[in-house]
Structure formats: structure tokens, C-alpha cells
Amino acid sequence: MGLNADGQPISGQGSGAPVPLSADFDSIQANVFTPICSVCHIGATAPEGLMLDAAHSYSLLVNVPSTEVPTLLRVKPGDPTDSYLIQKLQGHAAVGAQMPLGQPPLPSTTIAFIVQWITDGAQPGSAAGAASAFALEALAPENGAALTAAPAYIALSFTRALDATRADAAAVRLELLTDSSGTGGSAAADRATSAVMEGAGDVVGARVIETRISVPAGNERTLLLLPLQPLASGQYRVVLSADVASELRALDGASLIDPPIDAAGERIAGSFTVGDAR
Ligand code: HEC
């Protein structure tokens, strides 16, 4: 029953069957972002820091500024015309080429579905909020990334909506790892890298970098850290408070279970290097 003469399912309802394209996030992810865009837009070298694989795309798109044109949001819910994503797909963005780069433009019907998703408020997919535990899901730049250019911001995405009132400098901080002379830079970064990666006992200091912390409206599972100054070369890490008084909480008050608190009593979200850390 339900099988054709070859023993295959008759309709496309079986597991692994393609999701038809429609104006919802899961469908756009499955039909466009994953197969077409994440070929390039993935991992530490994703262009403009924009990862479009399923783990990252929503949190890096909705109400998050474009790197190429920082005055525009990549996706502005309700306003496709002012959404940089649409400008890149339609080929009239102020900077760079039409996407997908080096390929024919997406069919206008496909773009129309993405426009409709944004017009409808750019709602998240079915996976959003389904997780029961409050945990860090993804970091951009990725943990361990070696970046040649300073990122415009660091994005942390969580499994559940954040209590934005607790997203402050006490709850999350960006640190530049320094050597004992108090200066950052490549040499310090090298030693810091080995200290962090191997847990060695080297004396390594850390300087807190001033950032503006925000939780984008409509994308409350994401926290953005915008450095007030461009990041200099060096090794950075993102640290979340492990103190009940100041730690991040989910909107319903749940405490973070991951990343765990390490032996030094710290909760490290991840680290990355900027510049030519030799
Ligand atoms: C062959 C590699 C490649 C593919 C495939 C690709 N891109 Fe890109 N994308 C780039 C590069 C390189 C840049 C930066 C240079 C430029 O804009 O031309 C970029 C930039 C972007 C930006 C600007 C980001 C910002 O913050 O300013 C967006 C948005 C974007 N791409 C979306 C997409 C989407 C959506 C797809 C799939 C339909 C896609 N790209 C497919 C390589 C690619």
C-alpha cells in the first residue's frame, strides 16, 4: 500500500522527499539556502561572515545588519525592498555581485516566495523554540576561525529566546587574549592559542573589548556583540557569565546548560583569531 510498481512511495511524502517551495523559512532553507547558497556561505570563511546553513542562517539574517552595507538589515521583517538579501538576489545591491555568485539568478518565482516570507514577517522555521534546553547553538565567527579581516560583529545564537534585559556587559564579554606584558598581537595570540587549545598553564591575560550588545527584534534567539572599535589582530574569545546574578537567561528564566562552566569557573562560548596570527 502506498507503493508503486517499483516498490517506491507513490507520493513525495516519504523521508528525504523534497519540501515544496513556499513562503516559509523551512522551505526556503531546504530549497535555496542549503543546496545553493551554503556551498559558499558556510564555515569560518563564509563571505561577509554570512553562514547560510540551517544551523546559522535565520540568526544571521533576520534584523542583522549587512556587512557590505551596514545601514541595511539583511532581512527586515515586513520590508523586502529594504532587505539587503533581496537586493542581492535581484541584483541591484550597492556593493558586490548578484547572488548566487557566478550562477544564473534565482527564478523570479523563487525570489517572490522569499519576498513573501519577509512581507509576512520573516517568521522562524519549525525548529525554533522546539528545543527544551537553553543552550548556545552557534557562534559566528565559528569557534577556532582564523579570520583575515576583522568581523563587524560577533553573533551568538541560542536554542531559545533570550531575556534581552539580561543581555549586558556583565552577561557576555569579548576578550582579547594578551601576553604578560599586557599587549595583544600575533605573538601573544600564538601563545594564547596554545594555552586555550591545550589548557596549558601559561600566564595569559585577557583584556575586555568594549562592545555594544543587542538582541535583534524578532530574532530573540540571537545576541550581537558589535565592537566599538575595529578589532585589531590577535586572539579573541567570547565569555559568558557563569554567575547566577549576571548570567544570560532564556525569556522564561531558564539557565544556560551549554557551554558548560570550565575548571577555571568560566563559560567560554568560543575563540577566533583576527589577522595574520603566525
Ligand atoms: C560561489 C560562491 C557564492 C554563492 C553560491 C553564493 N554567494 Fe553570496 N556571496 C559570495 C561572496 C564572495 C560575497 C561577497 C562579495 C559580493 O557581494 O559580491 C557574497 C555576499 C553575499 C551577501 C552580502 C552579505 C552582507 O552581509 O553584506 C548576501 C546577502 C549573499 N551573499 C546571499 C547569498 C544567497 C542568498 C545565496 C544563494 C542564493 C548566495 N549568496 C550564494 C559568494 C557566494
Side-chain angles (χ1 to χ4, degrees), residues 32-33 36-37 40-41 47-48 50 52 66-68 74 84-85 88-89 96-97 99-101 103 106:
V32 181
F33 296 154
I36 301 171
C37 315
C40 298
H41 287 273
E48 313 297 1
L50 174 58
L52 289 173
S66 148
T67 306
E68 290 178 347
R74 287 171 176 161
Y84 197 63
L85 172 70
K88 291 295 279 186
L89 291 174
M99 294 294 135
L101 188 67
Q103 293 176 38
L106 295 181

Side-chain angles (χ1 to χ4, degrees), residues 37-122:
C37 315
S38 76
V39 176
C40 298
H41 287 273
I42 196 159
T45 56
E48 313 297 1
L50 174 58
M51 296 181 246
L52 289 173
D53 57 305
H56 295 94
S57 62
Y58 190 88
S59 56
L60 293 177
L61 284 172
V62 177
N63 277 316
V64 171
S66 148
T67 306
E68 290 178 347
V69 181
T71 52
L72 288 177
L73 298 169
R74 287 171 176 161
V75 168
K76 184 176 181 188
D79 189 349
T81 307
D82 277 340
S83 294
Y84 197 63
L85 172 70
I86 297 303
Q87 300 186 1
K88 291 295 279 186
L89 291 174
Q90 292 178 335
H92 55 77
V95 177
Q98 184 167 15
M99 294 294 135
L101 188 67
Q103 293 176 38
L106 295 181
S108 57
T109 49
T110 302
I111 299 178
F113 278 122
I114 303 175
V115 165
Q116 189 63 47
W117 167 66
I118 296 174
T119 303
D120 293 346

